[in-house]
Structure formats: structure tokens, C-alpha cells
Amino acid sequence: MSHFLRDYADRLRRFSPNARLFLLSVFGIGLASSIFSLLLNIYLLHLGYKQDFLGLMAAIPPLVTALLAVPAGVVGDSLGHRRTFIIGGVLSGLGALGISIFTEAEPLILSIGVLGLGWALLQVVSAPFMVEESHEHERTHLFSVQFALQTLASFLGSFVGGALPQLFARGLAVPESTAVVYQIALAVSVGLIFVSILPLVWMRSAPRERGRARLRWHLQTPPALIFRLIVPNIILGLGAGLFIPFMNVFFKLQFNLSDTLLGTLFALGAVGMGIASLAGPPLAQRVGKVRTMVWTQALSIPFLVVMAFVPILWVSALAFVIRFALMPMSAPIYSLFVMEQVAPEDRATVNGWSTMAWNLLFAGSAWLSGQLQVLWGFGPIFLIVCGFYSSSIVLQHVLFSPLERRGRLLKAALAEPKQY
């Protein structure tokens, strides 16, 4: 255990200044996003909207991200990742501000579309930036530390977000169910987003960003390989869109949890996910990236079933926390694996294609989920989710294992001493 901690500390010290500023910004934006995502659906319910409108609102950000992800990737490669981060952060803040101000359907839809545009820019350039700002021996740790910081931010944001409505209700002497209480709580997250942009402004441009990069639509990476890399992930997007945006609604309606208890539950889930994400790199080094992805995701499925179908709060909550730790544990490893397979000059653009495909299917399934919840409730939806997740896991094993073996053989061949 001490060796594990020393190894992490040593690699953290070697991170570049830009990487550290990026991690600071990630933490702040993650904190704001956690508060925002916890309270948004509850706010909309208090405004009188039904689950079908919640499904529409959940679908718009990934839909906008899907439509703009490829252009965003090209812009990120051309304009520079630091500038793209700043633009994405500003747009995200403006979109969240609109949602915290307006109550009518049309302005809410427009605002969440602007938020989705900001998210598209932030998502597409994050992985290529981390690859550029790290060496191979520390890269897995940077990806996992970034994911762990997002998780820590989610933990703190869930606690804070769950407490804010009650705090503001007492301060204003109004019932906690009043919509204005949630508007003020959402405005807190808006302020955090804008503060979190500052570390991006303090970054120094990387050498490759000081010149003018070419807009490239013809990639060095074979299209067949790109398709092979992103197919399992977009199937995960189909499953995730059906229930990820509605986990707070599920526990609110199924068990009538208060906002404080709901925030505590999501905070505990974030703790489990953070611990699991830090365990990912050593596990990947020991058993391989593909095995780590496959087994952690596969182990999460039984807990998803328990969470959905056992009508006992503590059992469902415990299954939620364990599932919340296992399933996302592979996310940074998956992202790194994809970035390592493609040509360096293609990374942001390929990440744009991947983000586009994932978010397009996530948006469609989120919209569909809102309609199905009105008709069927949550039970059948969880069964469909299990089917999508299982299919993705099988494809990851079948499609990625040969790529990983080939990479190991190539590295071994390059390491052999040359005979002259």
C-alpha cells in the first residue's frame, strides 16, 4: 500500500504546470456540474414539468454535443486546446445561467442547448490535451487522477447540492419545494463554472499551439480502426442514456428521498467511484487495459439489477454505490486506450467522432427514456440497459484484445537490442 501511494505521489510531482492547472479547472467545473445535475430535474419537477419534458432536456446537451463534436475536434486541433477550453467553459456558464433564470420551456431549451455546446468543446479536447501534457509512463495516472478529481468534485457537489435548497429555504422563509429555492441553488453552480475558467486562462500555450495548425478532415488513422474503437463505447451510450440522467428521479419517486438524503447517496456513490478510479492504473498495469475494462464493467451489472428491482432502500442504495464505483472505473482507461491507438495528429478529431457518436445515441435514448417512464415506469428500462451494457462488454473483449496483444508485441520488438 505504501509503495502504491509513493508511486502515485512521484507521478503527481512530475505532472506539467499545464496539467496541474487543467486538473484544478476540472475539479471546479466538476463541482459545479455535480450541483447542477443533482438539482436540475428536481427543479423542473417543481416548475410543473413532467418526465417527458425532463427526457427532452436530458437529450438536448448530448444531441448538441453529437452534432458539433467533430467540428469541435477539428477546431481544437486548429485553434489550440487552451483556447478551446476557455470558450467551452464560458459557453457552459452562460447556458447554466439561462437555466437558472428562465422558467418557460423555450428559453430553458435554448439555454440547455448553449450548455451542450460548451460541453462539446470541453469534452472533445480534454483527452488529447492530457496525452500531450504527459509522458507514457505517467499517462495512465494523469487520466485516472483527472477522473478521480471529477469524482471528488461529484462527492462534494452532491453533499453541497443536497443541502443548498434547505439552506436557501430557511434563509428566505419559504417552503423547500418552492422553485425559487432551486433557482438560487443552480446559480451557485453558475458562479463556480466561471471561477473554474481562471486556471485555463493561466495556462501557457503548448509549443504546437503557437503555430497555425491545419484543418484536417483526412486522417492518418484507418477508418476501420476508428470504427472498431468507438463502437463499444457508443453502445454504452445507448444504455447510459436510458437511466443515467434519471437516477435522481428514480430514487426521488421510488423512495421519496429528501434532497439532503439524495445528495448524501450520490456523494457516497462518488466516493466509491473515486476510490475505484485510483485503483484502475495499477490493475491495468497488472492484468492489462482490456481485461480491466471488461471485468469491472461486467461485475457492475448484477448490482444494477439489484438497485432496480429490490424495493428496500438500503439494499438499493448499497447496490447503487457499488455499481457507481465499478462501471465508470474503466472510463479513463478506455479513453487512454483509444488515444494510444490513433495517430497523434488525429487525436482531437478522432475523439470528436467518438464523442459525436456516443452523445447522439445517448441523446436519443434519454429522450426515449422520458417517454417510456410515463408509460412503463423504470423496471423494463433497467432490463434494456443491462442488454446494451452486456453487448458492449463482449465487443470490447473481441475487438480490443487483438489490438492490445499487437501493441505488446510491437513494444517488445522495439525493446530488443539491435544486432549489427
Side-chain angles (χ1 to χ4, degrees):
M1 184 65 179
S2 60
H3 173 73
F4 171 79
L5 294 176
R6 284 198 304 269
D7 180 61
Y8 252 100
D10 180 60
R11 293 172 194 267
L12 279 171
R13 284 194 295 268
R14 297 182 187 180
F15 289 167
S16 69
N18 274 5
R20 293 176 184 176
L21 288 170
F22 169 78
L23 292 174
L24 181 60
S25 182
V26 162
F27 178 78
I29 292 175
L31 185 64
S33 299
S34 178
I35 296 172
F36 191 87
S37 61
L38 179 73
L39 298 178
L40 176 59
N41 282 339
I42 304 170
Y43 167 59
L44 295 174
L45 289 173
H46 284 305
L47 287 178
Y49 293 106
K50 304 299 181 185
Q51 285 163 274
D52 52 353
F53 183 76
L54 269 61
L56 175 63
M57 289 288 285
I60 290 173
L63 178 61
V64 172
T65 301
L67 295 176
L68 298 177
V70 174
V74 176
V75 168
D77 283 337
S78 177
L79 185 62
H81 300 146
R82 183 181 65 89
R83 298 185 187 95
T84 307
F85 280 147
I86 294 171
I87 295 170
V90 170
L91 289 173
S92 298
L94 291 176
L97 178 63
I99 293 170
S100 68
I101 293 174
F102 301 115
T103 59
E104 298 298 321
E106 291 79 7
L108 285 171
I109 291 171
L110 178 61
S111 297
I112 207 164
V114 175
L115 179 64
L117 174 57
W119 283 354
L121 294 172
L122 293 173
Q123 288 178 30
V124 166
V125 296
S126 61
F129 175 82
M130 286 190 290
V131 170
E132 289 178 356
E133 291 294 336
S134 60
H135 300 290
E136 183 178 355
H137 66 275
E138 66 190 20
R139 197 164 286 155
T140 305
H141 288 73
L142 177 58
F143 271 71
S144 290
V145 168
Q146 181 251 2
F147 192 78
L149 278 178
Q150 286 182 317
T151 304
L152 176 61
S154 179
F155 164 73
L156 295 175
S158 296
F159 264 129
V160 172
L164 284 178
Q166 186 179 48
L167 179 65
F168 291 130
R170 288 177 180 175
L172 297 173
V174 297
E176 191 175 333
S177 58
T178 306
V180 68
V181 170
Y182 291 91
Q183 285 181 298
I184 299 172
L186 290 173
V188 171
S189 68
V190 175
L192 284 172
I193 291 175
F194 284 113
V195 170
S196 301
I197 296 172
L198 293 178
L200 306 178
V201 177
W202 297 333
M203 284 183 182
R204 294 181 178 179
S205 296
R208 69 178 297 275
E209 293 182 329
R210 296 186 185 121
R212 180 176 175 84
R214 291 186 298 115
L215 293 173
R216 297 181 311 97
W217 294 92
H218 300 288
L219 305 179
Q220 301 298 315
T221 308
L225 176 58
I226 296 173
F227 181 78
R228 184 175 182 175
L229 290 169
I230 67 176
V231 162
N233 202 35
I234 62 178
I235 295 176
L236 282 179
L238 271 173
L242 287 171
F243 90 106
I244 290 294
F246 309 103
M247 287 191 293
N248 53 355
V249 177
F250 169 75
F251 280 102
K252 193 79 173 176
L253 298 181
Q254 187 82 358
F255 300 103
N256 195 28
L257 288 186
S258 67
D259 293 338
T260 303
L261 284 176
L262 189 65
T264 301
L265 176 61
F266 275 68
L268 291 174
V271 169
M273 186 166 63
I275 294 172
S277 66
L278 290 174
L283 186 61
Q285 289 175 355
R286 182 177 293 271
V287 304
K289 294 184 179 71
V290 176
R291 285 185 179 178
T292 300
M293 289 187 284
V294 167
W295 282 108
T296 54
Q297 292 176 52
L299 288 172
S300 75
I301 291 179
F303 294 101
L304 178 62
V305 174
V306 171
M307 183 186 85
F309 294 106
V310 176
I312 302 171
L313 175 57
W314 73 266
V315 175
S316 182
L318 180 61
F320 166 79
V321 170
I322 297 173
R323 183 264 160 207
F324 213 64
L326 288 172
M327 189 67 188
M329 182 178 175
S330 65
I333 299 171
Y334 192 118
S335 181
L336 174 59
F337 182 81
V338 171
M339 290 295 98
E340 289 177 337
Q341 305 302 315
V342 302
E345 60 269 29
D346 296 341
R347 283 169 178 157
T349 306
V350 169
N351 201 35
W353 282 106
S354 178
T355 303
M356 180 197 72
W358 192 92
N359 281 279
L360 186 62
L361 296 179
F362 185 98
S365 60
W367 173 84
L368 179 62
S369 180
Q371 313 301 312
L372 295 179
Q373 288 172 45
V374 175
L375 296 174
W376 299 343
F378 279 98
I381 292 173
F382 279 105
L383 293 177
I384 298 171
V385 171
C386 290
F388 281 131
Y389 281 180
S390 300
S391 300
S392 174
I393 292 166
V394 171
L395 283 175
Q396 287 174 54
H397 175 69
V398 171
L399 298 178
F400 291 175
S401 295
L403 294 175
E404 188 173 46
R405 284 195 298 269
R406 186 181 67 184
R408 284 198 301 264
L409 291 173
L410 179 60
K411 187 177 292 186
L414 292 173
E416 290 180 359
K418 301 295 187 293
Q419 300 295 327
Y420 297 100

